[in-house]
Amino acid sequence: ITQGLPDPSKVMDEILAKYPTKIARKRQKSLVINEPGEGKEIQANVRTIPGIITQRGCTYAGCKGVILGPTRDVINLVHGPIGCSFYAWLTRRNQTRPAEGEDNFITYSFSTDIQDSNIVFGGEAKLKDAVREAFEIFKPKAIGIFSTCPVGLIGDDVHAVSREMKEELGINIFGFSCEGYRGVSQSAGHHIANNGIFKNVIGNNNKDRIGKFQINLLGEYNIGGDAFELERLFDEAGITLLSTFSGNSTIESMEYSHTADLNLIMCHRSINYIAEMMEEKYGIPWVKVSFIGAEGTTKALRKVAEYFDDAKLSAKVEEIIEREMKKVEVVRKAVKAKTEGKLAMMFVGGSRAHHYQDLFKEIGVTTVSAGYEFAHRDDYEGRDVIPSIKIDADTRNIEDLTVEKDIELYREDLAVKKEKLLKSGYEFSNYDGMMPEMKKNSLVIDDINHWETEKLIEYYKPDLFCAGIKEKYVVQKSGVPLKQLHSYDYGGPYAGYEGAINFYLEMERMLCTRIWKMVTTPWKTDPEIVGSFAIN
Ligand code: CFN
Ligand code: HCA
């Protein structure tokens, strides 16, 4: 990786030199020159230094936008000023497919739109009215209530209101204390959402078995239609997908998700808590998989077949793999011939900055620098990392959930099965952390900011930068194409086999055009923005 590339320690030095000493000392711990196998540590999941322009979002975004947002038949009512609701409205490109006559509330934006007078006199009455109004108009099966920053500051109790309204209206109503400031990032919101769904939804319906091989898919949010592609594969294989948390999902399917035989986890960062609580309460084992990349998809499908240990299922899975890989290989080869040797960087969320490196590898593109916005140390360093005890921002202020030891009929069977699989060498994780899987000397940076981004681009001149909407235009104006790995811009699906093909073709389009070399960076010739006012 060092061939023809700048010395990473020089890049790091120059980045840090600009900061005041104290800040430099702090930031230094979040910038690592990768050395797989050397047990290097990275500082992650800590507060962003005030004044720095971070990529991160807030706790409310993680709870309402990320985890609950993609479920179509629950009304997600935001208790807060209208801006919080407006900025979380349809921006994530999570898709859904309601059946004929089924509810879909995703296209709506529900908010109490609190005003100054509510801040002074309290907003609970307004919240109750909003719940009643939403119920009157839409007759939903469930309503989730989400607190935003000002609500936490004035002390409205969304849990008490939820209980009262549940009693009054006779439907499932539950609240989330997910005020934006509660954690250091979205990550705390994931945790709050996981606890709330586990406590209020999972286990509410003991539905009879509907398939021979029943699974849930956790941490898949159907961005750009990813879940549709995975549903296609499971359907054909004869694997029953009971519930997805939460892409293309219904609250109803979550209610009986505890009757599954196995949980697959895609994005471990956002949903490991539910997986662990489901294992503890219902005995359902979980396997960490990634369906990003054709190779990863093959590995994941085989993991499921291996788990169920059924000859017919395995044969079917192999048949699908063979057929799909034939199609994938044709496109992959053609694209790789043009993209081999190109350099990419990716700074995204809490799992994609790692998962997408697989797709790039498949077409010969190297990731020279990468990092997450809000992941924890285990996401970087690998599965054996002991969580940092110093700052556990995620669990701070979160009501302690006691999992009652409610033994389901099949719980013991599953535990015995897990034991047997472990003895036979079955691995419950399909991938490791970001750092063990990245090349030596690549630069790993947690919670990157604009200054650091600018320097990376200047030094490495990457062929492609992957991040989100806030970074997109600054990077493009520097003459480097940017692919949004959050919303996929207008593309997708990118998961599974069809997704891999879509992604290869998109990369061919983005990496092989010469248009970016023709961009004149505006601030290079015109560093100051001059404004003028028209005065009448
Ligand atoms: S869909 Fe997921 S995959 S849930 Fe998470 S950590 Fe966000 S919204 Mo943006 S794209 Fe991103 Fe991940 Fe898991 Fe998405 S990488 S930042 S909170 N994320
Ligand atoms: C969020 C959602 C986000 C933002 C994406 C972006 C998403 O963090 O609240 O910055 O472009 O995927 O929509 O991560």
Side-chain angles (χ1 to χ4, degrees):
I1 191 167
T2 43
Q3 233 178 17
L5 286 175
D7 175 357
S9 55
K10 268 217 178 107
V11 184
M12 239 176 97
D13 288 349
E14 179 155 339
I15 284 174
L16 296 170
K18 181 97 170 175
Y19 295 129
T21 325
K22 230 171 114 183
I23 310 282
R25 218 180 297 130
K26 276 193 183 158
R27 275 308 291 156
Q28 192 178 18
K29 297 185 188 142
S30 293
L31 280 79
V32 171
I33 299 168
N34 197 37
E35 281 186 84
E38 294 302 309
K40 275 200 161 177
E41 294 182 359
I42 188 164
Q43 170 179 266
N45 192 32
V46 296
R47 219 158 79 95
T48 303
I49 299 158
I52 275 183
I53 305 177
T54 173
Q55 295 179 297
R56 282 176 170 174
C58 67
T59 299
Y60 153 76
C63 182
K64 188 266 178 190
V66 174
I67 308 288
L68 271 295
T71 304
R72 64 176 169 264
D73 59 348
V74 58
I75 283 189
N76 290 324
L77 175 59
V78 178
H79 187 32
I82 193 65
C84 304
S85 203
F86 181 80
Y87 285 105
W89 185 21
L90 292 181
T91 52
R92 195 155 161 260
R93 293 194 72 233
N94 47 278
Q95 303 186 356
T96 203
R97 249 181 217 157
E100 184 85 18
E102 216 183 12
D103 288 331
N104 177 15
F105 303 125
I106 290 179
T107 50
Y108 291 89
S109 179
F110 298 95
S111 172
T112 49
D113 180 22
I114 60 169
Q115 304 294 319
D116 301 6
S117 60
N118 307 123
I119 298 286
V120 176
F121 300 107
E124 288 184 8
K126 190 169 193 185
L127 175 60
K128 286 180 203 170
D129 284 346
V131 172
R132 289 188 191 105
E133 189 184 340
F135 178 75
E136 259 326 292
I137 300 172
F138 296 99
K139 298 283 181 312
K141 294 187 187 84
I143 298 178
I145 301 171
F146 302 83
S147 301
T148 65
C149 296
V151 167
L153 297 173
I154 62 173
D156 279 1
D157 186 345
V158 296
H159 305 285
V161 171
S162 299
R163 279 192 297 274
E164 192 185 323
M165 288 293 103
K166 186 176 176 175
E167 184 82 4
E168 182 181 314
L169 303 174
I171 58 163
N172 197 2
I173 301 179
F174 38 87
F176 297 90
S177 294
C178 57
E179 292 85 354
Y181 59 75
R182 248 175 207 270
V184 301
S185 68
Q186 290 92 319
S187 182
H190 300 149
H191 202 157
I192 293 168
N194 276 231
N195 286 354
I197 293 177
F198 188 75
K199 190 172 166 187
N200 298 299
V201 181
I202 295 172
N204 286 358
N205 177 353
N206 289 317
K207 192 180 168 102
D208 286 338
R209 178 171 277 280
I210 50 171
K212 192 169 172 196
F213 313 112
Q214 301 199 140
I215 64 161
N216 297 311
L217 183 56
L218 274 62
E220 206 312 307
Y221 301 95
N222 203 17
I223 310 302
D226 278 353
F228 299 146
E229 161 67 357
L230 304 182
E231 286 166 14
R232 175 180 79 91
L233 298 171
F234 292 136
D235 275 355
E236 193 187 340
I239 297 163
T240 305
L241 183 57
L242 283 185
S243 187
T244 300
F245 291 73
S246 51
N248 194 28
S249 69
T250 59
I251 215 83
E252 198 177 349
S253 70
M254 291 178 183
E255 287 178 342
Y256 56 73
S257 61
H258 63 298
T259 63
D261 305 308
L262 177 69
N263 278 332
L264 296 188
I265 306 193
M266 270 279 277
C267 169
H268 182 259
R269 177 67 277 125
S270 59
I271 207 130
N272 66 82
Y273 321 97
I274 282 185
E276 275 165 27
M277 290 187 282
M278 277 174 97
E279 174 154 26
E280 188 172 351
K281 183 165 176 181
Y282 303 108
I284 306 169
W286 50 273
V287 183
K288 224 164 124 178
V289 294
S290 168
F291 284 98
I292 301 300
E295 297 298 329
T297 304
T298 296
K299 273 208 259 175
L301 288 176
R302 287 197 176 130
K303 270 262 126 235
V304 183
E306 220 184 307
Y307 176 83
F308 286 110
D309 192 20
D310 180 280
K312 249 173 126 178
L313 174 66
S314 294
K316 187 71 200 170
V317 162
E318 288 307 322
E319 180 195 318
I320 295 171
I321 293 171
E322 201 189 323
R323 184 196 63 214
E324 296 291 322
M325 280 308 283
K326 259 193 205 140
K327 288 188 277 179
V328 167
E329 275 306 314
V330 176
V331 184
R332 195 186 67 83
K333 272 209 187 107
V335 172
K336 192 177 178 188
K338 299 184 194 169
T339 53
E340 177 111 63
K342 304 257 186 205
L343 305 179
M345 292 183 172
M346 55 209 73
F347 293 90
V348 196
S351 68
R352 291 183 175 190
H354 175 206
H355 290 170
Y356 273 78
Q357 292 189 28
D358 288 349
L359 262 175
F360 281 109
K361 264 185 218 153
E362 290 175 4
I363 48 167
V365 176
T366 303
T367 306
V368 282
S369 186
Y372 300 117
E373 291 170 54
F374 50 74
H376 301 201
R377 277 184 55 204
D378 58 334
D379 304 302
Y380 281 107
E381 296 169 29
R383 68 183 94 104
D384 295 327
V385 172
I386 300 156
S388 153
I389 42 164
K390 275 190 307 233
I391 303 155
D392 193 3
D394 260 15
T395 46
R396 200 174 48 194
N397 291 334
I398 292 172
E399 55 185 304
D400 208 15
L401 194 94
T402 44
V403 180
E404 42 171 316
K405 302 271 185 264
D406 168 13
I407 298 181
E408 291 288 314
L409 277 177
Y410 50 85
R411 185 188 156 168
E412 282 172 21
D413 293 350
L414 288 174
V416 170
K417 179 167 189 156
K418 181 167 181 180
E419 196 63 28
K420 219 172 103 191
L421 280 165
L422 278 171
K423 277 201 187 117
S424 72
Y426 184 86
E427 285 204 37
F428 280 84
S429 176
N430 221 9
Y431 58 90
D432 220 331
M434 177 193 276
M435 283 156 63
E437 291 180 9
M438 273 183 83
K439 289 198 173 161
K440 186 174 157 72
N441 281 337
S442 48
L443 252 184
V444 180
I445 305 179
D446 183 63
D447 188 20
I448 199 172
N449 55 54
H450 271 205
W451 159 249
E452 294 166 5
T453 302
E454 234 177 275
K455 284 286 133 187
L456 283 187
I457 290 174
E458 193 184 309
Y459 270 100
Y460 286 92
K461 302 187 176 47
D463 299 291
L464 181 74
F465 200 96
C466 302
I469 191 66
K470 301 189 288 298
E471 297 75 43
K472 188 171 175 79
Y473 299 101
V474 176
V475 171
Q476 290 189 167
K477 283 176 185 173
S478 313
V480 175
L482 185 141
K483 179 67 189 171
Q484 294 191 60
L485 286 189
H486 298 263
S487 67
Y488 303 162
D489 294 297
Y490 310 99
Y494 294 144
Y497 298 112
E498 287 293 328
I501 292 174
N502 287 339
F503 195 77
Y504 302 155
L505 292 171
E506 171 76 346
M507 286 308 109
E508 178 187 32
R509 190 181 70 80
M510 290 186 82
L511 287 164
C512 301
T513 169
R514 289 181 4 241
I515 195 84
W516 299 104
K517 303 259 179 293
M518 298 173 194
V519 171
T520 4
T521 307
W523 56 86
K524 290 218 166 124
T525 49
D526 229 341
E528 276 177 60
I529 297 171
V530 181
S532 55
F533 295 93
I535 301 167
N536 289 321

